[in-house]
Amino acid sequence: MAEQYTLEQNSLAASSMNKSRLSSFFKYVLRNKPLYMMLIPSFIFFVVFRYVPIFGSVIAFQDFNIFKGIWQSDWVGLKWFDQLFSYPQFKRLLVNTLIISFYQLIFSFPAPILLACLLNEVRLSIFKRTVQTIVYLPHFLSWTIVFGFIYMLLSPQMGMVNGIIADLGGEKIHFLQNNSYIRSIIVGAGMWKEMGWNSIIFLAAIAGISPSLYEAARMDGANRWKQFVHVTFPGILPAFVILLLLKVGHVLDLGFEQIYIFLTPANYNVADVLDTYTYRAGIMNGQYSLTTAIGFFKSIVGFILLIAANQISKWLTDEGLY
Amino acid sequence: MKKLVKVPLLLLLSLIFIVSACGQGSNIKNGNQPSADSGSTQAPASDQPAATSKEPASFTIFFSDHNIPMPTGKLKELDVIKYMAEKTNVDVNPVAITHSGYAEQLKLKIASGDIPDVLQTWGIAGDETVASGKALVLNDLLKEYGPNLLERIPQSSWDAVTVQGKIMGIPQPTAAAAAKMIFVRKDWMDALNLDIPKTSDEFLDMLRAFRDNDPNGNKQKDEIPFSMRENLSWGDNLFGMFGVNPDSTIMYENEMIPGIIHPNMKQALAFFKKMYEEKLLDIEFLTNSSQIWTQKINSDLVGAWVHNSQNGYHWRNQLLEFLPDKKTEVIAIPTPQGVGYEGPVGVKETAVNKTFIIFDTAKNPEAIISMYDWLISDEGQIWSALGLEGQTYTKNGDIYTYDMEADKAKNWDWRGAAFGIHGFSEKVEKARQGEEGFQAMKQGIDVALKEGLPNPTAAMPVPKAYNDNPELKNTGSLWLEAATLIILGDKPLDYFDEFVAQWRSQGGNDAIKEMTDWYNENK
């Protein structure tokens, strides 16, 4: 079957040599019909759910009214961007967003890589698999439940941690209401929840490294650490770079829920971010245009950062997204 | 290959999601709408048909079905409606409109010329009929044909539907205008020999006693004297000791200002600050979700809290269930008077559940009013809440036994949505809650009836300044943050003045101007 296919392909390719590239392209597509048909669903998915909604962004330039709809709403130009940038707490929102994002980048992002590498060194397969399963379970919990756990750990009234502190004779600490802890708790909770899940891709990357490389390294007398430095690490570098670039593109997206569950009026000062403001303004108060403008702003910043980071990465490591 | 399987799967999932999301949409309830069971039902009274000898006056009512399953066929053919129509000598045609999208469907119907005589709505603030001058002014008609209505519906409910002295609709009152009360563990008070506090200082003393004297008797200092919930919610009556609520409005120095910037609010915040300092306020008041809050109360930890006035029966049942070994008792106490403040206390009065607006094109407005007048009589209330004797309830002397199952099975239980005009009714609630549950409910309502803050802007639409900058609202970050920081002691009390200045400069002055203008035009 495969042979037949190739033969046919060759003969067709030969006969179409003189025709234009376009028609040869269509012929090629036609010939590989089954494969292209399988592509259709994902194509539709991206058009319907990723590209069409982009046009909805025009409401950032309108005074959008849900009763009037996109077509009848009045155009207001850059009013909402104006309002956003002149919002008195805008600087605080942006600074908080960037700080928490930065924490995530230096703590949450490398954590799964570390975990994957550690798991990779575990010899006992059953132990490895058990640990792997346990660490990725939290991914399936909702943030509300995660908050419940954290509350039960840290509450000064019924929390375990404060129970231990009190038993040791210390003063109970109100972690969830203390502004010096809240960012660490937010980032830490995110790390605990997603670390195991995110390590899967790195485990796959490690598994993809050819065993012959390790063999060769061992022949040359490399110990496990040297094998890690010279084989494993370079092996996962492409995956690392790609994910890092994507993460940089999302530097202003922190994940709304993760922050919102910890947010109280007492810690707006350090934890109120663009995403939570969007929720308050858009969902609770119906400021659809304003929040679309925020989303638009975030996308543009993300896009610029992504392009820049990609160029830098290509220049430094020859790895990039495209 | 895996990916190729995944994508159609994703598509399928998205489709399912979309479909289910649409399905949910139809269940969304209007926040303003009272649930049909909560006492909105009503029965026509029997006595005084407007004109017994005349032909029955015919008219149409559009009403929301409040998500109650509706019977098929004409509603006016049902026995239960026929009974009422006969009693009041009307030929009424109730037309149910699905609750989701009620406003849009109404607009469509009216735009296509299908205009009812009576329209059910909630508050009149956003109502287009009133705004466009289509609503009949009822002052004179009510005097003539609605003496029971005028007598039994409290003035505050009438005020909420009155614009410039013109009554624009018939309001269904809430059980008590002061919708929230302070609930206290009476058994704790008895154990410590405490009296009901009359002033804010006595209230603090009571909380201090709760804190220090182990009223729950577990030999641990784990009592939480007063608990409330995230975003400073469910603390309203404590603000109300000083005559302000975060969501109230009040006339001050010729301006209509929100409670959050009133000078008395500073006193209220000082009070909260003191409570927090002395550990009388739940130190987790910023993070308490409704579940955690409920759990704390049910675990015998909390001495006082704020909840809906009629919910005494609810807490009674909860504590009986969770603390069966203790002789628990919960009472609502009158909001204590803030020391250094004279004037009304409690929470902002909300006077209206539903409102029935009569169109100026209605041919028989007097018959319509007579019908509602009958509906608010004792007999009418029993009819709308309990249905027909022998079919959905039985009467033994003065004891009514309601058969909810039968009412539902007959598909009659929607009638309150169109004909419910009474608020809290003793007979009805007794039949529904049982004697002891009713007493617990009644106690809170009785207390609530004696207090409350006037709400001068009840009929006012939301000011545009609030829509432009929602952060100005009492749910916005400006107020919440300032108040929280003051209570926690992160900022001095005088930071309040800074907050007020900031609030005014960030658009608050526009909101005040809008509200003041509205008030002056419509008072």
Side-chain angles (χ1 to χ4, degrees), chain A residues 83 87 92 151 155 157 174, chain B residues 282-284 296 468 471:
Chain A
Q83 182 166 337
Y87 174 58
R92 180 173 87 180
Y151 173 79
S155 157
Q157 279 161 357
H174 199 160
Chain B
D282 186 350
I283 53 170
E284 294 182 333
K296 284 177 178 173
D468 285 350
E471 297 285 27

Side-chain angles (χ1 to χ4, degrees), chain B residues 417-479:
Chain B
F419 301 108
I421 195 71
H422 70 270
F424 171 77
S425 158
E426 203 169 311
K427 274 186 193 162
V428 167
E429 295 306 336
K430 260 186 200 162
R432 286 176 173 248
Q433 311 290 348
E435 180 63 32
E436 287 187 328
F438 169 77
Q439 288 306 337
M441 184 180 195
K442 179 96 178 354
Q443 193 267 335
I445 291 171
D446 284 347
V447 175
L449 285 173
K450 294 188 189 117
E451 61 180 62
L453 304 177
N455 182 10
T457 53
M460 181 185 71
V462 180
K464 189 174 167 298
Y466 280 175
N467 285 331
D468 285 350
N469 187 2
E471 297 285 27
L472 292 175
K473 292 185 192 172
N474 69 306
T475 50
S477 64
L478 268 176
W479 150 253

Side-chain angles (χ1 to χ4, degrees), chain A residues 50 97-98 100-102 104-105 242-255 274-275 295 298-307 309 321:
Chain A
R50 289 288 180 269
T97 309
L98 289 174
I100 295 177
S101 198
F102 180 70
Q104 286 185 341
L105 208 60
I242 286 175
L243 289 174
L244 183 66
L245 289 174
L246 290 175
K247 173 77 192 149
V248 167
H250 284 284
V251 81
L252 295 183
D253 298 321
L254 295 177
L274 284 170
D275 288 331
K298 275 168 46 180
S299 308
I300 289 173
V301 172
F303 185 69
I304 293 170
L305 283 176
L306 185 65
I307 302 277
L321 290 173

